[in-house]
Amino acid sequence: MISAEFRFETPKTVAEALAVLEAHAGECKVLAGGMTLLPMMTLNLLQPSVLVSLNHIPELSGIEESEDVVRLGAMLRHEAVHDSSVVRVRAPLVSLAAGSIGDVQVRNRGTIGGSLAHAEPAADYPCATATLEARFRLDSQSQHRWLSAGEFFVDVMTTALAPDELLTQVEIPVSSPGAGCAHMRLRRVEGAFPIVVASSIVEPGYRRARLGLGGVGARPIVLDVTDELRDGLAPAALAKIGDRAHAAADGALDDLNASSTYRREMARVYSQRAVRAAVSNMHTNSGEVPK
């Protein structure tokens, strides 16, 4: 099929892009990597009258760091996120998530902002960023605002972005030195979206532990599992974590890829695997998940 005709805009600054969004609010779509948008347009599932490309705005591809946070520009390609030494050392869970997305072509073209704005429930970034308590900067011509993951993700492929807003930055809290992390995913076909995703980060001494689940509901599910690990990693602790993940996945998605029952059971299995791997990786903060 062939996409319907549209007007193509190539702003060179964020201000120019926001001006186009303001002028054509509700009529246009934003083009980042195009990994999802262009196929949907070709299939006539979307027919925007204006397409705004962000591919000529250098300010959206930067990485900023401070003592407490790392800020990633929305147009950073997945491979750039994965390869960044700053991200690998200071936010290794995000590096792991970026490195497991799709295939090599998708990783070299797709962007972190595009993936997050698309809000596919089984995508890697929503689960990882929610687990890390990331914040998202949304800009319009009149203001900018920061939203937590819980505020940003609204429903299946739905976010809090207004028609005249642009996701410009993702703010990731710096992981504690020595924290262990893991990003696990269940998928049947290489390059396809996972059926279930599990992210985990555990701080040294088990002083704090978080678990994120993706693919089981409309939005990422995040559990604080610090209490379960207060006496260390043991079979009983993992069993409790699995039970909590299974319960949290009540009402899991049911589609052609997997039934709700199967997703709930896999949430149990992959939550345990992610926490176990994060604990194994504790103290190294290397960004490498044990096999």
Side-chain angles (χ1 to χ4, degrees), residues 14-35:
V14 170
E16 290 178 7
L18 293 176
V20 177
L21 290 178
E22 176 76 22
H24 301 281
E27 302 175 10
C28 64
K29 287 292 181 181
V30 173
L31 174 66
M35 296 295 94

Side-chain angles (χ1 to χ4, degrees), residues 50-215:
V50 181
L51 196 60
V52 186
S53 173
L54 305 181
N55 287 278
H56 303 280
I57 307 179
E59 63 189 288
L60 289 178
S61 298
I63 297 178
E64 303 172 3
E65 58 177 323
S66 66
E67 182 179 352
D68 300 321
V69 299
V70 174
R71 288 179 174 171
L72 308 179
M75 282 299 291
L76 280 166
R77 311 292 174 183
H78 306 319
E79 197 65 23
V81 175
H82 175 62
D83 286 345
S84 167
S85 59
V86 171
V87 179
R88 189 177 293 271
V89 171
R90 309 198 74 196
L93 180 54
V94 177
S95 177
L96 287 172
S100 62
I101 293 173
D103 53 32
V104 65
Q105 294 171 311
V106 171
R107 289 193 294 273
N108 278 279
R109 188 61 194 170
T111 66
I112 185 170
S115 177
L116 289 167
H118 183 57
E120 159 64 46
D124 294 89
Y125 284 132
C127 182
T129 56
T131 303
L132 293 173
E133 300 179 286
R135 296 198 308 158
F136 308 96
R137 174 167 171 153
L138 279 53
D139 282 78
S140 68
Q141 279 199 306
S142 60
Q143 65 174 357
H144 78 262
R145 56 185 179 136
W146 288 94
L147 299 183
S148 67
E151 295 166 327
F152 181 76
F153 298 111
V154 175
D155 206 335
V156 175
M157 297 183 187
T158 306
T159 71
L161 273 165
D164 64 341
E165 285 184 317
L166 195 62
L167 172 61
T168 57
Q169 278 189 324
V170 182
E171 182 182 82
I172 313 292
V174 171
S175 298
S176 301
C181 65
H183 185 74
M184 299 288 187
R185 56 217 305 280
L186 167 64
R187 63 181 180 184
R188 293 196 178 99
V189 179
E190 184 67 23
F193 275 111
I195 296 171
V196 170
V197 182
S199 295
S200 181
I201 183 165
V202 182
E203 296 183 2
Y206 302 102
R207 62 177 178 265
R208 192 162 188 248
R210 289 171 64 83
L211 168 69
L213 295 170

